[in-house]
Amino acid sequence: MSSIEPTDLLAAFFLVAMLLGMVPTVASLVQYVIIGWQSVRNNYSKCADFTPRVAFVLPAWNEADVIGSSIDSLMSLHYPEGHWRIYVVDDASTDDTPAVMREKMAQYPGSVFHLRREVGGQGKAHTLNHGLRIILSEDWAEAVMIMDADVLFEPVTLRRMTRHLADPSVGGVTAYVKEGSFPGNLVTRFVAFEYITAQAAARRAQNVLGVLACMAGGAQLHSRENLIAIGGQIDTSSLAEDTFTTFKTQLAGRRVVFDGNAIVWAEEPDSLAALWKQRIRWARGNLQLTSAFRNLWFRRSQHPKLGGVTFGVLWFSVALLPVFMILGSVGIIGLYYLRPPWAWSAFTALWSATLVVYLFETLFSLMIDPETGKRAWLEGLLFPGLVSIVIMLMILVPPSANPLFNGPYWSGDVGWSWRDIPVQVMLAWPGISTFFAWLVFRADRAGAPHWLRNLLLIAIGYGPVMCAISFGAMAAQYKNADLRWDKTVKSGKARIRK
């Protein structure tokens, strides 16, 4: 009986690594397929015209530029008069926030309240908890809406959210947060398209699965009973307090749902430097949650939905995205040197699948939200970056007509020369694009002209930037970097788009 050669084992390892690199692509496709069941598996049949008394809680630190518009937006809601109040929890602001609040309390007496903390700086969760303690100590509020100070509600949004609380099994509801910066730029339009995929699409799929990963902190409605059941306060140990609250709600036995027809608008970062700061906080928070709930994953005995395999794969395909991308690149490069014909087959399979998923998801996303699609269709098409798009298109060209594929390296005569660098960069692109995306961020942070940043972003892609941010979050967690809650500065650019 012939023995197995070490090179055979190594080649098998590289093949497995390449297959693991396809996990995010396959998981994303599965998620989009699941969305199709949203029409038959949703919570609308249990909804009713339910209008409980709602207390809005807005954490505010130096929000003078945005808080007035947010309050005006909330006071224009289509909701029974006197059934909602606005509590602005001022985290010791040093700007004109107190003056704006005095003006708004005079404008809306009995509906707007200013809760000021004289000593602040502990972060959003502590600020929210200050307001929640006061609200829950009184009997008035039957539900609580946790939101950000810059978020603008469409008039019907609150009513579309509270209708789900008519179902006593529902403890929390989240809205569709849309990017509303005006005027926008390339970065904000990329964010607008990303929010279709991450919210309008992903959360619809999670509705079907019966489990939600996160109720957006910008519009998070809770029943009073649910808040009391999870301790009456928001988790302060994490940078992702909204995700922690979502998990705790479900672990306490109540459901959370996403309503894509309940829309709010928010100003999002308009530079990669600002986006990086915001998303590093989010990604680190998700890693903290992954660790905090480590006994939950893939264990249905802990929770039938959160502990399920499908949700676990979807969660880790995002949380560990850089790991999968690097594994895929290492796998193909390893096969290139050990089994060149295998490398060609693996490379073709990987990028053919990527092309199919890219076209399917992009077109599907544009149909899910046509309004945003009209504004950000080009960013949707350019989401993976021009380099990735060129590679996908090259797969369609027969090897005999393509000089990059028509060489001795694919037949087994592998050496190394400078001429082979383009081929090797192409093979390893899923992994090394993360590094190039980091360079684009560094250039933006260093003050590179916007036109140069935009050209680099279009070439490398917004998707790789998200991957680079995830990798940065992993590095920050590994180094045990400071957990300070780093606020995203808003300037009042959000608009409700009709």
Side-chain angles (χ1 to χ4, degrees), residues 206-380:
Q206 291 164 20
N207 274 349
V208 175
L209 293 174
V211 58
L212 208 67
C214 178
M215 290 188 287
Q220 188 181 107
L221 177 68
H222 296 267
S223 67
R224 181 187 186 93
E225 292 78 9
N226 181 62
L227 280 177
I228 293 174
I230 63 174
Q233 61 182 359
I234 304 302
D235 182 86
T236 59
S237 66
S238 164
L239 294 173
E241 76 288 333
D242 49 1
T243 311
F244 263 73
T245 302
T246 305
F247 271 59
K248 287 183 176 180
T249 294
Q250 294 169 106
L251 289 171
R254 287 178 170 84
R255 296 172 54 222
V256 292
V257 296
F258 165 74
D259 192 325
N261 297 305
I263 297 172
V264 301
W265 298 83
E267 175 187 349
E268 298 299 337
D270 60 1
S271 70
L272 290 184
L275 184 72
W276 188 279
K277 182 175 70 171
Q278 179 196 65
R279 300 305 179 84
I280 282 285
R281 186 177 74 242
W282 294 4
R284 288 192 67 189
N286 287 339
L287 290 175
Q288 292 164 357
L289 181 142
T290 303
S291 176
F293 292 96
R294 55 187 172 274
N295 294 326
L296 171 69
W297 304 110
F298 304 107
R299 297 182 182 180
R300 296 182 66 89
S301 59
Q302 300 296 313
H303 189 279
K305 302 294 179 62
L306 285 173
V309 173
T310 302
F311 181 73
V313 171
L314 291 176
W315 176 271
F316 282 98
S317 68
V318 175
L320 301 182
L321 180 62
V323 175
F324 289 115
M325 295 296 98
I326 292 171
L327 280 173
S329 296
V330 169
I332 289 184
I333 288 293
L335 291 176
Y336 171 79
Y337 282 103
L338 285 180
R339 298 286 189 274
W342 289 19
W344 163 246
S345 298
F347 180 78
T348 303
L350 173 65
W351 283 96
S352 295
T354 301
L355 174 60
V356 171
V357 174
Y358 159 69
L359 291 175
F360 176 68
E361 293 186 358
T362 301
L363 295 176
F364 201 156
S365 296
L366 295 176
M367 289 189 293
I368 288 175
D369 186 349
E371 186 278 330
T372 302
K374 291 178 182 177
R375 178 162 53 101
W377 65 269
L378 183 59
E379 286 73 18

Side-chain angles (χ1 to χ4, degrees), residues 61 90-93 116-123 126-127 130:
W61 178 73
D90 182 353
D91 193 38
S93 295
R116 181 169 173 85
R117 302 181 72 200
E118 295 303 329
V119 178
Q122 296 174 293
H126 286 278
T127 305
H130 179 76

Side-chain angles (χ1 to χ4, degrees), residues 482-498:
D482 182 18
L483 288 174
R484 183 182 70 250
W485 198 90
D486 203 357
K487 178 180 179 291
T488 301
V489 178
K490 305 294 178 71
S491 59
K493 295 180 181 178
R495 299 289 186 274
I496 294 177
R497 295 177 180 267
K498 300 296 185 181

